[in-house]
Amino acid sequence: QQPVQSPQAVILREGEDAVINCSSSKALYSVHWYRQKHGEAPVFLMILLKGGEQKGHEKISASFNEKKQQSSLYLTASQLSYSGTYFCGTEATDSWGKFQFGAGTQVVVTP
Amino acid sequence: EPEVTQTPSHQVTQMGQEVILRCVPISNHLYFYWYRQILGQKVEFLVSFYNNEISEKSEIFDDQFSVERPDGSNFTLKIRSTKLEDSAMYFCASSGGTEAFFGQGTRLTVV
């Protein structure tokens, strides 16, 4: 069962913030976040393993609410380089090693 | 910096032919994955491989597909009797247990 991401797309001005959500109908072991630029491979941003854990990468951070089976990615003070498609990948507790990706959220940061 | 390498970068094949996509994972990694991304769509999980055997596979990964680690370094995806709808970017990824590193992908075009 693939995770559901929202929103589908977001357009930001440089310096603005955004939140991308990822939710699953299954109990999760881990959530991974990736960013993919057009024509390139997805690039790993971070992994979250524990409930309520928050991690950061530059001004991009994420939280994982294990009970709600959802994760949120926070883009803070966005930069032009943040443009791309963000995917969450989830690993359910009953299918360890099998990653399902969400449909992606396209982020466009404008000057 | 260690990286996952995939060959070829682009392959064109006739419908019905067999193709082998090659990947060299990062040397001390133990978990290997194949993903597919049809143009403009999300990344789809195909299969994960650990300890020289398949650990998980998706519904897409039917008898048409097989994976091998023939020599302890290469990790291959074989697609038999290719169909037009197999045209996609195929990504290999490897992981040491947390972060997954993606190769640059092989673009497969079936004509």
Side-chain angles (χ1 to χ4, degrees), chain A residues 30-95:
Chain A
S30 70
V31 178
H32 299 222
W33 285 97
Y34 294 84
R35 177 172 63 208
Q36 184 178 34
K37 302 230 180 218
H38 184 69
E40 298 180 10
V43 173
F44 175 85
L45 293 176
M46 65 193 78
I47 178 175
L48 300 106
L49 293 173
K50 295 179 185 175
E53 184 177 9
Q54 189 134 356
K55 282 201 154 188
H57 173 85
E58 300 169 342
K59 286 186 178 174
I60 299 173
S61 60
S63 63
F64 177 24
N65 188 319
E66 198 177 333
K67 282 185 183 173
K68 291 186 179 178
Q69 295 161 192
Q70 64 187 50
S71 176
S72 295
L73 186 75
Y74 306 94
L75 308 180
T76 305
S78 57
Q79 304 167 17
L80 296 176
S81 60
Y82 288 3
S83 292
T85 301
Y86 289 77
F87 293 97
C88 70
T90 57
E91 188 183 16
T93 53
D94 64 356
S95 53

Side-chain angles (χ1 to χ4, degrees), chain B residues 31-62:
Chain B
Y31 306 90
F32 314 114
Y33 309 89
W34 281 103
Y35 295 91
R36 177 178 82 176
Q37 187 174 33
I38 294 168
L39 187 64
Q41 298 185 25
K42 69 181 177 75
V43 175
E44 298 174 293
F45 171 82
L46 291 177
V47 65
S48 60
F49 194 84
Y50 170 72
N51 204 22
N52 290 321
E53 58 183 31
I54 291 174
S55 53
E56 284 284 349
K57 58 183 180 178
S58 72
E59 301 75 22
I60 302 167
F61 194 88
D62 59 20

